[in-house]
Amino acid sequence: MAASKTQGAVARMQEDRDGSCSTVGGVGYGDSKDCILEPLSLPESPGGTTTLEGSPSVPCIFCEEHFPVAEQDKLLKHMIIEHKIVIADVKLVADFQRYILYWRKRFTEQPITDFCSVIRINSTAPFEEQENYFLLCDVLPEDRILREELQKQRLREILEQQQQERNDTNFHGVCMFCNEEFLGNRSVILNHMAREHAFNIGLPDNIVNCNEFLCTLQKKLDNLQCLYCEKTFRDKNTLKDHMRKKQHRKINPKNREYDRFYVINYLVRLSFHNLKFDCSTANKIFLRTN
Ligand SMILES: [Zn+2]
Ligand SMILES: [Zn+2]
Ligand SMILES: [Zn+2]
C-alpha cells in the first residue's frame, strides 16, 4: 500500500519535471527538449570500473587515469590541469560516478566544443599566453537533464530505502544514553530517546539510513564529543553533565554530515533544478502515516 504511494510520488515528479521543462532557468531550450531527452541514457553499471582492491573508482573523462570515488577532488584537479575542463556546481551532482561515465562516453562521440563553453584566461595577454578552459555546466540542456535524472534516480533509491526501513521489524539498536536494547522497528528506539532522554532527531519517517545515523552519533559520544556544540570532554560523566546542564541533547543543526539522513534533503536538491517540484509532492511523502 505505502509502496505504491512512493511510486506515485516518483511518477508525479516525473510529470512535474516534464511539464516544466521549457521554463526551468528561464532559458529558451523548449525546442531542443525532445531531441535531447531521446539519446540520454544513464550508464547502467558504474560497478564496471571497480579497481582490483574492490574499492569503486571513477575514470577521467578523457584519459585512462582512475581515482577512488572518495577522492573526487583529485580527479577534478587532474581534469583541470591535464585537460583544462571545469565542471560547474559539481557538489550538486547526485551521482558523481555515473555523471562522469556519461560524459566520458559522450566526449568520444562529439567534440568538446559541442558541449562546453570556452573560457579564455589571460585574454588581454599576447595570444601565446592565453589559455582556453572548457566549462561543463547545466546551461547545456543535456547536462541539466543528466543532472536531473541522476537526482531523481538517487531520490528513488532513497525512497526505496526509507520504505524498507519503515517496514523493517528486525532493527536492533542500543540506546546511546541508557544502553537499553531495542529490537523491532527503528521508530521504537527513536521514540524512546525522544521520550526518555528528550533527544529528538526528527520523526522516524523522515529519516533514512537510520542505523548509520545512530552509529555516527554513537561514535561522536564514544569520542567524548558533545552532539550539539561538538566540544570534546575529558570523560563520559563530564560530557553527560554538560549535555544535560546546557541542554545540548540535540544534534548540531549546522553539521552537514547529517543532511544525508533526512529524506527532505534529497527532495530539496531535486527542487533546486526544478522549482515546480514543490510542497504538494513533499506533503505526499511526509504527511502520510505508517
Ligand atoms: Zn585525464
Ligand atoms: Zn535510553
Ligand atoms: Zn555541548
Side-chain angles (χ1 to χ4, degrees):
M1 183 66 187
S4 65
K5 279 190 190 171
T6 309
Q7 281 158 13
V10 172
R12 224 190 94 77
M13 280 162 14
Q14 186 96 33
E15 284 161 29
D16 281 349
R17 204 207 25 86
D18 290 346
S20 69
C21 208
S22 55
T23 62
V24 170
V27 190
Y29 286 121
D31 293 339
S32 53
K33 179 185 144 192
D34 292 336
C35 61
I36 293 296
L37 273 174
E38 225 29 67
L40 198 152
S41 64
L42 298 180
E44 274 309 318
S45 63
T49 56
T50 301
T51 58
L52 281 178
E53 304 83 53
S55 67
S57 72
V58 198
C60 168
I61 290 183
F62 299 99
C63 71
E64 292 312 311
E65 286 267 7
H66 275 69
F67 294 84
V69 171
E71 292 173 22
Q72 87 178 48
D73 285 351
K74 283 191 185 162
L75 171 58
L76 294 170
K77 199 175 157 191
H78 162 85
M79 291 196 292
I80 294 173
I81 293 169
E82 300 297 327
H83 311 288
K84 307 224 179 301
I85 185 165
V86 180
I87 300 172
D89 295 325
V90 74
K91 295 276 178 243
L92 297 174
V93 173
D95 189 330
F96 182 69
Q97 196 180 20
R98 280 204 170 97
Y99 180 83
I100 295 292
L101 289 175
Y102 177 85
W103 282 119
R104 186 176 154 86
K105 181 169 173 287
R106 290 292 281 135
F107 280 128
T108 61
E109 296 164 353
Q110 273 169 257
I112 186 167
T113 43
D114 281 6
F115 305 113
C116 295
S117 3
V118 180
I119 309 166
R120 185 160 295 167
I121 306 286
N122 238 353
S123 61
T124 53
F127 191 72
E128 319 78 68
E129 289 170 33
Q130 293 180 5
E131 268 191 289
N132 286 341
Y133 281 82
F134 299 97
L135 179 69
L136 183 59
C137 73
D138 66 359
V139 169
L140 178 78
E142 185 173 347
D143 184 82
R144 177 171 55 74
I145 292 167
L146 172 63
R147 286 170 187 243
E148 284 172 1
E149 290 301 323
L150 291 173
Q151 278 165 338
K152 281 198 288 182
Q153 195 169 348
R154 173 57 48 88
L155 179 61
R156 223 172 286 136
E157 286 163 9
I158 284 295
L159 291 177
E160 266 166 32
Q161 173 70 20
Q162 181 199 31
Q163 196 58 45
Q164 188 256 315
E165 288 180 36
R166 254 179 220 275
N167 300 331
D168 183 18
T169 50
N170 293 315
F171 179 87
H172 175 248
V174 178
C175 171
M176 58 185 105
F177 301 110
C178 70
N179 289 332
E180 192 176 334
E181 269 189 64
F182 293 89
L183 189 67
N185 191 270
R186 73 211 161 124
S187 62
V188 181
I189 189 167
L190 295 179
N191 291 337
H192 161 84
M193 292 195 297
R195 228 176 284 135
E196 303 299 321
H197 309 288
F199 180 74
N200 198 339
I201 54 172
L203 290 174
D205 270 359
N206 298 348
I207 289 168
V208 69
N209 290 320
C210 183
N211 227 339
E212 201 190 333
F213 194 4
L214 293 179
C215 283
T216 307
L217 297 175
Q218 182 69 57
K219 246 183 237 160
K220 275 204 151 43
L221 291 181
D222 291 345
N223 292 332
L224 303 172
Q225 215 180 358
C226 169
L227 297 177
Y228 184 70
C229 66
E230 304 192 334
K231 278 185 199 141
T232 306
F233 293 83
R234 65 174 184 278
D235 58 57
K236 224 172 182 166
N237 284 335
T238 322
L239 171 63
K240 265 188 185 170
D241 282 351
H242 162 85
M243 288 178 72
R244 187 172 42 83
K245 278 188 203 149
K246 294 262 180 183
Q247 300 196 327
H248 281 189
R249 257 195 202 152
K250 47 197 166 191
I251 58 169
N252 179 0
K254 289 186 186 141
N255 191 332
R256 301 269 74 97
E257 194 192 344
Y258 305 136
D259 287 358
R260 62 201 175 92
F261 299 118
Y262 293 92
V263 177
I264 185 93
N265 292 313
Y266 298 88
L267 297 166
V268 170
R269 268 193 182 195
L270 192 78
S271 63
F272 193 82
H273 280 276
N274 180 4
L275 300 174
K276 257 188 107 182
F277 173 76
D278 59 10
C279 310
S280 61
T281 312
N283 284 345
K284 271 195 175 176
I285 293 164
F286 289 111
L287 297 183
R288 62 189 178 185
T289 50
N290 242 344

